[in-house]
Amino acid sequence: MNLYFECKSGISGDMAVAALLDLGADKEKLDKALSSINLENEFEYKITKKSVNGIMTTDFDVILKNQHRHEGEHTCGHHHEHHHHEHRNLNDINKIIDGADAAGSAKTLAKKIFEIVAKAESKVHGKPINEIHFHEVGAIDSIADILSFAVLFDDLNPKNVYISPLTDGQGFVTCQHGKIPVPVPAVVEIASSCKIPLKFSSNEGEMVTPTGAAIAAALYNGENLPEEIIIEKIGLGAGKRPYEHPILRVFAIKE
């Protein structure tokens, strides 16, 4: 089996997790990995079906516990709302991943994705990676999204992976640092450093998050999708931003 990530409607961590679940990846492995990291006092998650523009999709939602919500505040790269929570650096996150009940190959992928985000945030903020406690990277929803994605991707174990150009919106979003342009700086840095094609739509706001861009970058190998494919199954992951068509499609295609 090969996979094709069609990112013309953007990509985020939760969209990618949802699409792989919709494709048939093993939910029990996700449950086992997330329960093993002993952060149940910080978050819970829900997996539901959701209609988006009349199309039935899967939705993956991380819900943070005992936190103060900042309603309507953008977060410099997350499709989840911003919360007060413990700030963690890359070493802290790698220790959490190492303690997860997951395959070694899944842990390696999760660490790779986090490192891509961390390097981008380090460049954007002008500080060494482990001197910054990234609220973006260390947020518990990012840990849940990235570990879940890595476990599900490892379960599907595709032979080849194809990534479409990343399509983002335009305009500005507001985060704790102030108003910043879309694509947000970390996404621009990931696209630049990893040489991932980036496109722009007329949608106002953020369609590609740093987590989503890092997932794509971790899998991107520069290969183009063959001109003709046989689609065996389609996974549809719902996004949470109010733009026109927030759906990530992941195709399982015949080798």
Side-chain angles (χ1 to χ4, degrees):
M1 177 184 67
N2 298 326
L3 293 181
Y4 170 54
F5 287 73
E6 182 195 67
C7 305
K8 66 183 181 182
S9 294
I11 181 171
S12 64
D14 54 332
M15 292 170 78
V17 172
L20 295 192
L21 285 168
D22 202 55
L23 200 57
D26 192 343
K27 178 183 175 295
E28 290 185 4
K29 289 184 178 180
L30 179 153
D31 292 335
K32 184 169 69 172
L34 292 185
S35 64
S36 69
I37 58 176
N38 298 319
L39 296 176
E40 62 273 2
N41 62 321
E42 295 192 42
F43 80 100
E44 60 184 1
Y45 59 95
K46 292 183 179 179
I47 299 166
T48 58
K49 289 295 183 180
K50 178 180 178 180
S51 178
V52 178
N53 296 349
I55 300 171
M56 190 54 63
T57 69
T58 293
D59 180 64
F60 178 73
D61 191 21
V62 175
I63 304 161
L64 304 188
K65 297 181 178 180
N66 303 317
Q67 309 293 346
H68 300 288
R69 293 177 179 268
H70 291 268
E71 297 297 340
E73 181 180 1
H74 293 276
T75 63
C76 298
H78 289 295
H79 278 203
H80 302 289
E81 293 171 329
H82 181 66
H83 303 72
H84 292 297
H85 48 68
E86 180 181 355
H87 291 187
R88 295 179 170 95
N89 66 16
L90 191 59
N91 287 334
D92 297 327
I93 292 165
N94 284 339
K95 289 177 183 177
I96 291 171
I97 294 171
D98 284 335
D101 187 354
S105 49
K107 295 179 185 180
T108 298
L109 177 58
K111 289 181 180 180
K112 181 179 180 180
I113 295 168
F114 264 113
E115 184 176 13
I116 290 169
V117 182
K119 285 181 176 179
E121 296 286 357
S122 174
K123 180 74 176 292
V124 168
H125 295 295
K127 296 182 180 180
I129 287 177
N130 286 315
E131 288 185 12
I132 300 177
H133 285 73
F134 301 100
H135 66 86
E136 289 92 352
V137 177
I140 190 64
D141 48 7
S142 290
I143 295 171
D145 285 349
I146 291 174
L147 180 59
S148 297
F149 177 84
V151 167
L152 296 174
F153 181 86
D154 186 74
D155 175 62
L156 292 175
N157 191 28
K159 183 177 181 181
N160 297 301
V161 179
Y162 305 97
I163 306 288
S164 78
L166 308 185
T167 300
D168 209 340
Q170 59 179 319
F172 295 85
V173 293
T174 300
C175 69
Q176 72 171 29
H177 304 296
K179 186 171 283 189
I180 58 174
V182 176
V184 297
V187 167
V188 173
E189 180 59 35
I190 291 169
S192 173
S193 61
C194 299
K195 309 304 179 188
I196 302 178
L198 185 63
K199 297 173 64 176
F200 303 93
S201 74
S202 60
N203 285 329
E204 289 287 331
E206 181 188 25
M207 297 169 62
V208 178
T209 69
T211 298
I215 286 171
L219 304 178
Y220 183 67
N221 58 18
E223 293 187 15
N224 294 322
L225 186 70
E227 289 187 6
E228 296 183 2
I229 60 173
I230 296 176
I231 300 170
E232 296 184 322
K233 197 171 182 181
I234 305 169
L236 303 173
K240 297 176 177 62
R241 291 289 174 85
Y243 56 84
E244 190 175 359
H245 38 74
I247 300 174
L248 174 68
R249 297 199 297 183
V250 179
F251 297 86
I253 57 179
K254 190 174 181 180
E255 295 179 17

